[in-house]
Amino acid sequence: MKYSKLLIPTLKETPSEAEAVSHILMLRGGYVRQLAAGLYVYMPLFLRVMKKINKIIRQEMDSIGAQEVSMPVLHPAEVWQKTGRWYDIKDEMFRLKDRTGRDMCLAMTHEEIMTWLASREIRSYRDLPQMWYQIQTKLRDEARPKSGILRTREFIMKDSYSFDADTDGLNKSYELHAEAYKRIYGRCGLKFYVVESDPGMMGGATAHEYMAPSAAGEDAAAICPACGYAANVELAESVSQSVELADTAFEDVFTPEKRTVEEVSAFLGLKAYNFIKTLVLVAKEGSVLALIRGDQELHEKKTERIIGDFRHARKDEIEGIVGVEAGFIGPVGHKIRIIADNTLKSGTYVSGANKKDYHVRGLKPGLHFAAGYYDLHMAHENDGCPLCGKPLTIEKVIEIGNIFKLGTKYSEALSAVYLDKDGVEKPIVMGSYGIGPARIAASAIEQNHDENGIIWPVSIAPFSVVILPLNVNDAASQQAAEDIYSSLAANSVEVLLDDRDERAGIKFKDADLIGIPLQVVIGSKGLKENVVEIKIRKSKESLKVAPERVLETVMDLIKN
RNA sequence: CGGGGCGUAGCGCAGUCUGGUUAGCGCACCUGCCUUGGGAGCAGGGGGCCGGAGGUUCGAAUCCUCUCGCCCCGACCA
């Protein structure tokens, strides 16, 4: 393609609304433009990237036997009502009525519709297993679109669904996806982790997420470099760092107007980890006390798994529940349920004395109070790995894909059943699997850029090579550029010719910014000595070769 | 949905506190000359309902009220 014919509106300055590196570079490189919050126009260059990513995805999905379909993005409400998600999901679903007043919604995902199809077309165990996928638009009325293309209200997703006769079948389909996903991200040039994840509203049992480490990520993963343990911090377990706990006598101490862990620890000359924080929670079952070591935070998701939906007690409720105001609550002598973090099973601590202006020290779990012990704390950097005990690292990550074992939640709700060998009707066992192609692109930029711009992995670059004839007025340069262009194009190399009447500096800056992996630089002086340069964007290496050797050199370089 | 910030030319910004000629700067854009290996130089030029509505005032980008939009933090996130 000729640069002069393409819409590549690069920007010298950074638009003020962008913060994430990938967002800035996509805007500056002319890859995307914003229509409204969470709505983006994909410009020609970006579409080329997306097509390459989608091609890789299709190849890998096809290779595990998945079949591509295409589903509507406008859905009748009934299907969603049958699974209950019409009611469970709130503002995040775009809803509308058609002209007859019938309730409709826009597709947030396609479990319902895929299962609807299965319910109509699958009758027998002989029809199973099946895997169906699509690369289709999803719409979600996000509370907070952000980070450019990373969280948008309309986006494309590769979503696939597996239909099996039993759990063994599901496990096989799940495994096929897990492996295909690794190949996809690997081919896209990404660094990524596979982490255990929380199935959340998908309502399944087992789930994994594929995470690309990046400062722009909204999620965090706990990673053990030693043994490979990897989990979303939403559920990551960890062994708290062990600390010095002084064994003192069990006694009240006067702590006037000292309420927070910070205040009391400063007052008593102790560390935060010497304390037990006592939190009052209000759950469906009633009030619950949650105990957590002073240097840690209560992990709300973990807590929810134990006591169900809950909220923190309001200030004005606390005294009614535990008989003392916030700041002086301790675990001793309450009748309500007490849950405590595993870390607190042993040791000697300070906590509230359940009377105003007093704390108690020398407090020993088991001796002075009883509690149910669970993993309740947020995993921290350098906590011990739950598997091997070595220190964990916490990394910010972008979720680029996920896989869920759904089970029969959707098939039962929508009567997607089959007859087994014995003629018994059974619900189909399902899995669902998603990939965000635009997030792959954004992650690739996050992981591959420098101060000058994007450095695309060759596999997903919009062009493999850009030819830069530096002097448009020099006929020899022009001719050489054209010749090289033709020879590359004839060999199916995706090549961009910067034929614009621009100064050398502008061409270099734009080529670097848009991130084409290889630059063929043609200068009139070099050409007189029968030399052009092949510059490698990533390493900044420059190879001087004769024009007639450009083709083979380039072919060689893009293979690696 | 809670908290914070910002809307002035295509982009980046100043001016707003303390109201007062014709609203300004850099980049981009157009014309000409010049230049051609890292976003050149000179000269000339076009482009603004100062987010919108209402109000205060002799007079509003500037003060007041309402409203819309965008960004950031949090909640939320199949």
Side-chain angles (χ1 to χ4, degrees), chain A residues 8 18 82 107 121 209 213 250 270 285-286 311 331 384 428 514 525:
Chain A
I8 311 177
K82 280 186 184 156
E121 308 305 334
E209 287 164 329
F250 182 61
L270 295 169
E285 63 180 73
R311 61 176 174 81
I428 298 172
I514 65 178
K525 282 175 211 144

Side-chain angles (χ1 to χ4, degrees), chain A residues 197-214:
Chain A
S197 79
D198 180 357
M201 93 180 238
M202 296 295 297
T206 305
H208 288 87
E209 287 164 329
Y210 292 77
M211 300 296 211
S214 155

Side-chain angles (χ1 to χ4, degrees), chain A residues 245-285:
Chain A
L245 298 169
D247 195 354
T248 56
F250 182 61
E251 62 184 0
D252 285 358
V253 274
F254 184 51
T255 51
E257 295 301 321
K258 308 294 182 207
R259 290 156 209 277
T260 65
V261 167
E262 213 170 71
E263 288 166 356
V264 187
S265 58
F267 183 74
L268 296 177
L270 295 169
K271 299 288 189 190
Y273 54 67
N274 294 121
F275 289 79
I276 293 175
K277 276 192 280 196
T278 308
L279 306 169
V280 184
L281 309 179
V282 180
K284 288 237 167 61
E285 63 180 73

Side-chain angles (χ1 to χ4, degrees), chain A residues 484-523:
Chain A
I484 291 168
Y485 176 74
S486 309
S487 73
L488 288 168
N491 285 276
S492 304
V493 176
E494 291 179 287
V495 56
L496 178 65
L497 172 57
D498 192 346
D499 58 337
R500 296 174 302 166
D501 182 8
E502 292 288 1
R503 303 170 59 81
I506 290 178
K507 293 190 178 188
F508 282 129
K509 289 290 184 192
D510 278 340
D512 286 350
L513 177 59
I514 65 178
I516 311 302
L518 295 177
Q519 303 173 0
V520 177
V521 181
I522 302 174

